[in-house]
Amino acid sequence: MPYVILRQLDSYLMEITQFKEIDEGNCEHFFKKLKPILTKALNSQRVSIWLFNSDRTSLVSESTYDVDQGFLFPESITRDSDPLFFLTVELGNLFIDEKRMISPFRIGDDIAGIVLAEKKNESFSGDYGEQRFFSNVGYVVARSLISRQTALLVAELKEEKMKLDHSHKMASLGEMAGGIAHEINNPLTTIRANSDYLIAFLKGGKFDQKDFLESLEKIQATSMRIEKIIKGLRFFARDARQDERVRATVKSIIDDTLSLCQEKFRAHACKVILDITNEDIFIQCQTVSLSQAILNLMNNAFDVIKGQKGSWIRLTIRSENGQVIIQVSDSGPGIPENIREKIMQPFFSTKPVGKGTGLGLAIVKGIVEHHDGKFYLEEKTPHTTFTIILPEAD
């Protein structure tokens, strides 16, 4: 083969290998761009890419490009209809006859398919340069298919991770159910008592405007409290994986979070301390996800200090140099040094079997990093302190 033609084929190969769709796994677009180039490079009439079906009983074309007819509909060849063709393919070697050139390609140990080029009026030269070029095309096609498999696997893993994260969130919600019921029952008792008082007032024919107004105000305030609790519950329980980021105050997110857990803490004599320098600190975030992260940290802290005398959980929020710093501390003894490096690992848990998923901190880390932030354990504090750092919104 003349040197100039070899150089031309190498130039075509260089053009093909630079398509970004190959490593993105976007095979449909890659194949669409590839086939017209191959017909030009090989001076062929038609180019097609064929893949084995799952049980390897047929080869199915991923569309065909014909110089005169353009892109054609997919078609298939069964093993029974052309066993000699299948035998040729499964030998795994480049095959050339007068009108066809076949480049089988592998994924792993198996022949996954072929690239097929067909002539109309002339024959393939069969020169080494032409063979080398077409074999390399087979390798590139295999690479694109492997990238597609990888992309699909990554997408499936992401979906499974999101389902697992949501499952963990609902498990946390289940743990809080008793506290939430208590949180709602207390104000309901207040409403009932004040309602009875007002009814007795009216039935007795007595009317003290001041007492009457105070009772109504108590009913109104406790109704608003219940409304806030239910809002927080619905806010947290919904699937927020596709939510867009919104501008919100850190204080509002903390309030929604505390509405779901503070009664549980109060019932176990665990004091919640909120230390916030400015209630108008804004961040751009998925509010539900960030609430989940804070709730996970608070629940973890509670599990450690539950039952201890004088237990407390402190939430510290401040802004500093364009960053929002959220810290969750507790009155516990701290995390042993020998497990500090492991606590962020998925499924690592210090809780008894059946009492924890080991996903809490890993989920918090993922949520914070998704928000372009940092999450870490403070190493030099007397009590366990986790820090979240997020960009402050203008």
Side-chain angles (χ1 to χ4, degrees):
M1 176 174 284
Y3 178 72
V4 66
I5 297 178
L6 282 173
R7 287 291 302 273
Q8 193 173 31
L9 288 175
D10 285 343
S11 176
Y12 280 125
L13 186 62
M14 181 66 69
E15 179 185 356
I16 290 166
T17 56
Q18 289 180 349
F19 290 146
K20 64 179 182 179
E21 290 88 351
I22 298 171
D23 294 320
E24 290 176 351
N26 191 346
C27 293
E28 182 181 355
H29 284 184
F30 170 55
F31 293 164
K32 197 168 185 178
K33 292 165 76 171
L34 171 67
K35 291 166 191 172
I37 293 174
L38 291 183
T39 57
K40 191 184 299 183
L42 297 169
N43 194 27
S44 59
Q45 177 68 26
R46 181 177 289 190
V47 169
S48 52
I49 296 169
W50 300 72
L51 301 178
F52 275 106
N53 66 349
S54 58
D55 60 5
R56 303 184 71 81
T57 56
S58 64
L59 279 163
V60 181
S61 68
E62 293 254 323
S63 82
T64 299
Y65 177 75
D66 186 281
V67 172
D68 297 328
Q69 302 176 62
F71 289 96
L72 308 177
F73 287 108
E75 52 188 331
S76 63
I77 305 172
T78 64
R79 189 181 293 273
D80 291 339
S81 66
D82 198 341
L84 184 60
F85 179 73
F86 273 73
L87 178 62
T88 301
V89 169
E90 289 180 325
L91 287 173
N93 301 317
L94 187 76
F95 173 82
I96 303 174
D97 62 16
E98 287 188 358
K99 302 296 182 185
R100 295 183 304 176
M101 185 156 57
I102 300 171
S103 176
F105 52 84
R106 296 177 182 271
I107 296 180
D109 295 330
D110 298 323
I111 302 293
I114 61 169
V115 185
L116 172 63
E118 299 173 87
K119 293 272 192 178
K120 187 175 183 181
N121 299 317
E122 54 185 292
S123 302
F124 287 104
S125 68
D127 289 339
Y128 169 74
E130 194 173 64
Q131 292 183 43
R132 187 189 66 173
F133 168 76
F134 205 50
S135 292
N136 283 327
V137 168
Y139 296 141
V140 177
V141 168
R143 193 175 109 199
S144 72
L145 290 165
I146 292 169
S147 296
R148 180 167 70 180
Q149 289 179 352
T150 303
L152 290 171
L153 179 60
V154 168
E156 287 174 9
L157 290 173
K158 282 183 177 178
E159 180 65 24
E160 288 304 312
K161 180 182 179 300
M162 287 193 292
K163 288 179 182 177
L164 198 58
D165 289 353
H166 190 64
S167 174
H168 175 83
K169 183 170 74 171
M170 299 311 292
S172 298
L173 198 59
E175 290 175 8
M176 295 183 297
I180 292 168
H182 191 63
E183 184 81 16
I184 292 175
N185 284 333
N186 277 350
L188 283 176
T189 302
T190 301
I191 291 172
R192 177 66 183 270
N194 280 276
S195 298
D196 289 345
Y197 181 63
L198 292 175
I199 290 169
F201 243 176
L202 294 173
K203 283 183 176 180
K206 300 175 182 178
F207 186 81
D208 184 305
Q209 186 173 356
K210 183 180 177 183
D211 286 348
F212 200 87
L213 185 59
E214 284 181 0
S215 294
L216 285 175
E217 286 174 345
K218 285 180 182 178
I219 290 173
Q220 184 183 53
T222 48
S223 298
M224 291 172 67
R225 182 181 168 195
I226 291 174
E227 182 183 358
K228 183 177 180 181
I229 293 166
I230 293 172
K231 176 189 171 188
L233 185 62
R234 293 176 65 187
F235 164 83
F236 186 79
R238 55 183 288 275
D239 186 350
R241 288 175 287 179
Q242 304 302 322
D243 281 4
E244 293 184 1
R245 295 186 189 185
V246 297
R247 188 172 182 267
T249 64
V250 179
K251 178 65 164 55
S252 67
I253 295 168
I254 297 297
D255 286 345
D256 285 333
T257 306
L258 289 179
S259 71
L260 298 174
C261 62
Q262 61 186 0
E263 182 57 36
K264 179 176 75 169
F265 297 161
R266 188 183 300 121
H268 289 83
C270 175
K271 186 177 181 181
V272 177
I273 305 162
L274 181 57
D275 181 4
I276 182 167
T277 58
N278 179 2
E279 293 192 1
D280 292 324
I281 300 173
F282 284 87
I283 53 176
Q284 199 81 16
C285 68
Q286 290 178 318
T287 53
V288 177
S289 296
L290 195 57
S291 178
Q292 180 189 357
I294 295 167
L295 187 64
N296 281 356
L297 293 178
M298 295 189 71
N299 278 336
N300 281 356
F302 176 76
D303 288 342
V304 172
I305 63 178
K306 182 171 57 178
Q308 294 179 3
K309 188 176 180 180
S311 61
W312 51 263
I313 297 173
R314 180 187 297 274
L315 276 163
T316 305
I317 298 102
R318 68 183 188 275
S319 61
E320 195 174 280
N321 300 323
Q323 294 182 318
V324 176
I325 300 167
I326 304 170
Q327 291 183 309
V328 180
S329 310
D330 64 63
S331 57
I335 296 173
E337 196 170 333
N338 64 321
I339 65 168
R340 287 178 185 173
E341 292 183 359
K342 301 176 184 178
I343 58 173
M344 302 286 184
Q345 296 174 5
F347 305 108
F348 177 81
S349 178
T350 57
K351 297 177 184 178
V353 175
K355 295 293 185 182
T357 61
L359 290 171
L361 293 178
I363 288 173
V364 174
K365 187 172 186 291
I367 290 171
V368 173
E369 289 178 351
H370 177 68
H371 284 81
D372 308 312
K374 298 177 183 177
F375 173 62
Y376 55 88
L377 171 70
E378 295 286 351
E379 298 282 349
K380 297 180 180 179
T381 52
H383 301 285
T384 303
T385 301
F386 286 98
T387 297
I388 295 171
I389 300 179
L390 298 167
E392 185 174 4
D394 296 332

